[in-house]
Structure formats: structure tokens, C-alpha cells
Amino acid sequence: MPRLGLGSSLTGGVVLPFTNTGYLVLDGTNDHVTVTDHDDWDFGTGDFTAAFWISCGAQSDAYPSILASATGSYASGAVVIRLGPNSGGTAKTLLQLYVQAGGGGSAMLTSTTTMTDDAWRHVMVIRASAVFYLYIDGSQEDTYDTNNPDVDFADNGTFYIGKNGWDGTNGDLDGYLDEVAMYSKALSSSERSKLIGDGTPETAGNAKDISDLAGYWRLEEGTGTSAYDSSGNSHTGTLVNATFGEH
């Protein structure tokens, strides 16, 4: 009997499961998705959650970026979740959060998990009551509470998936992304578990089953240049050179 998973429904006695078969393919050479600016991911100093699945190997760019603002230089409005660190040559193996108005040139959050081994991993960057948290595969790996900067993922007019707005050809991610979701709240423990599902992208939970969804790019399209927003907020993204793959 088919499993009735998260986000599934029954219509006329037929199980309609929530399935995840596609993902975004980025080759590290000017491949990305652009999403037009909106207040839905200008979180100010309030709570938010940014969540996604990622699989990648060694990186050739100096600052491979996953989710970022289009800020033209690394100035006061710049926000980026990327692979780092800045030091250590070209070994960009850890996941980090940078907010220029927060840690400045230093990462506010850094994973302990090495991200560049081609395994699929789930990432959540959360701010709850002015404290930032980093979760990898459901486990908390870092926190930051030194200050509480303004966070606008679309600062300077665009939200990027797969690059940032200031490093030019040095800021592109080489890898795969899936199930990118933004919430205007801090997810609870039970909500985090629901989102991860059974621990793989193919068995992930449906982000729409959790309230306060600001944007949700499932990246299931397979072809074309549109990344549709499944949150109901109509924030369709545009692929630039990127393509789709299948699990």
C-alpha cells in the first residue's frame, strides 16, 4: 500500500503523495536563479527561517554562494549563506552565514560538517528572538547572539539562488539545490523535523504544511527557465544558465 506522506491527500480513495523528484543544477559558471525584490523576505530584525537541500563537491570559485542579496558591494545591506571560510586557500568546505551589518567580514555562523563531499544535506538558518542558529540535517551546529542586524535577502532589488551580488564570477555555486523555502518565523523543533521528513530530498516534508511560508521554490520544473513559487505568493524565479536534474 502506498505511504501517505507529508503533504499527501486522498481524492476518490486514490493516494496523491507529496513527491520530490527534481532539483536545480548549477555548474559554477554564472548559473543562478533571480527572484524579484519583495518585502516577504525583508525580515528586518525579526524571526525567520531559510531552509534548503544542497549537494556539492569541491568548489572552484572563491566565494560560492547559495542564497544571497544582490547588494552591489559587500556593504551594509549584504546578506549571504555560502561556503567558506575566507581563509585557508581555495578549500571552501563549510557552510556559513555572513551579514555585513552583523559580523562584518567574519562569519556569524559556521558549520562543523564538511559540505563538499557530494552528499545531500538539509540546511536551516534560523533567527529566533535575536539569536541566530545553524542546523545541518536537523542537528544544531552553531549559534550567534553578538548583535541582531537587519536581514533582507533581496537588498538592492533581487534575491539570488546560487550566487551573490558583489563577487562577480567568484561568487557562483557549483552543485545542486532543492526545496528552497523561506519562512517569516523561527521553525519549532517539530516543524524542523516535519520539513526534513525521512532525511533525504526524495522523502522530505512539504514546506506548505508549515505556516508563515514566505517563498517556496521546489525546483521540480524539469525544463524551461522558470522556478515557480509554491508558497502561493507568486514569487516566480528566473533561471540564468542553470538547468534542472532528477533524483
Side-chain angles (χ1 to χ4, degrees), residues 210-222:
I210 301 171
S211 64
D212 299 300
L213 188 58
Y216 180 27
W217 299 271
R218 298 204 57 215
L219 306 170
E220 290 280 294
E221 287 75 10

Side-chain angles (χ1 to χ4, degrees), residues 18-76:
F18 172 80
T19 58
N20 180 34
T21 59
Y23 55 84
L24 182 70
V25 178
L26 305 165
D27 70 4
T29 306
N30 196 33
D31 287 17
H32 56 276
V33 175
T34 62
V35 185
T36 302
D37 187 14
H38 197 278
D39 289 344
D40 280 352
W41 39 87
D42 181 357
F43 300 113
T45 57
D47 292 356
F48 73 88
T49 299
F52 55 90
W53 290 90
I54 181 172
S55 170
C56 63
Q59 301 293 304
S60 58
D61 278 10
Y63 309 105
S65 300
I66 301 162
L67 306 180
S69 64
T71 313
S73 62
Y74 191 62
S76 59

Side-chain angles (χ1 to χ4, degrees), residues 9 15 20 32 55 61 80 83 95 103 134 142 150 156 159 182 192 200 214-216 218 233 235 247:
S9 62
V15 176
N20 180 34
H32 56 276
S55 170
D61 278 10
V80 61
L83 299 175
L95 190 133
L134 174 60
D142 203 6
D150 184 272
N156 204 37
F159 169 44
M182 306 284 275
R192 296 194 300 270
T200 68
Y216 180 27
R218 298 204 57 215
N233 295 325
H235 301 311
H247 291 290

Side-chain angles (χ1 to χ4, degrees), residues 193-216:
S193 295
K194 179 182 290 188
L195 198 59
I196 295 172
D198 290 339
T200 68
E202 299 95 319
T203 61
N206 187 346
K208 290 182 70 174
D209 290 344
I210 301 171
S211 64
D212 299 300
L213 188 58
Y216 180 27

Side-chain angles (χ1 to χ4, degrees), residues 19-236:
T19 58
N20 180 34
T21 59
Y23 55 84
L24 182 70
V25 178
L26 305 165
D27 70 4
T29 306
N30 196 33
D31 287 17
H32 56 276
V33 175
T34 62
V35 185
T36 302
D37 187 14
H38 197 278
D39 289 344
D40 280 352
W41 39 87
D42 181 357
F43 300 113
T45 57
D47 292 356
F48 73 88
T49 299
F52 55 90
W53 290 90
I54 181 172
S55 170
C56 63
Q59 301 293 304
S60 58
D61 278 10
Y63 309 105
S65 300
I66 301 162
L67 306 180
S69 64
T71 313
S73 62
Y74 191 62
S76 59
V79 179
V80 61
I81 300 171
R82 69 171 181 85
L83 299 175
N86 282 333
S87 59
T90 59
K92 309 301 178 181
T93 61
L94 305 178
L95 190 133
Q96 297 185 312
L97 170 69
Y98 285 81
V99 181
Q100 203 282 335
S106 300
M108 294 167 59
L109 297 171
T110 300
S111 71
T112 56
T113 296
T114 296
M115 304 296 293
T116 51
D117 60 358
D118 294 309
W120 278 104
R121 289 192 171 85
H122 192 259
V123 175
M124 281 180 273
V125 172
I126 296 175
R127 177 166 58 189
S129 301
V131 180
F132 291 81
Y133 300 87
L134 174 60
Y135 292 86
I136 307 293
D137 290 334
S139 296
Q140 181 181 310
E141 295 202 354
D142 203 6
T143 63
Y144 176 92
D145 62 0
T146 302
N147 56 41
N148 188 34
D150 184 272
V151 172
D152 180 1
F153 276 93
D155 182 76
N156 204 37
T158 304
F159 169 44
Y160 282 127
I161 300 173
K163 67 167 288 181
N164 69 57
W166 54 90
D167 282 320
T169 58
N170 282 321
D172 297 319
L173 177 71
D174 184 356
Y176 308 139
L177 294 174
D178 200 4
E179 296 287 305
V180 176
M182 306 284 275
Y183 294 89
S184 57
K185 71 174 183 181
L187 296 194
S188 66
S189 176
S190 62
E191 289 170 331
R192 296 194 300 270
S193 295
K194 179 182 290 188
L195 198 59
I196 295 172
D198 290 339
T200 68
E202 299 95 319
T203 61
N206 187 346
K208 290 182 70 174
D209 290 344
I210 301 171
S211 64
D212 299 300
L213 188 58
Y216 180 27
W217 299 271
R218 298 204 57 215
L219 306 170
E220 290 280 294
E221 287 75 10
T223 61
T225 59
S226 294
Y228 295 105
D229 174 19
S230 295
S231 71
N233 295 325
S234 301
H235 301 311
T236 298

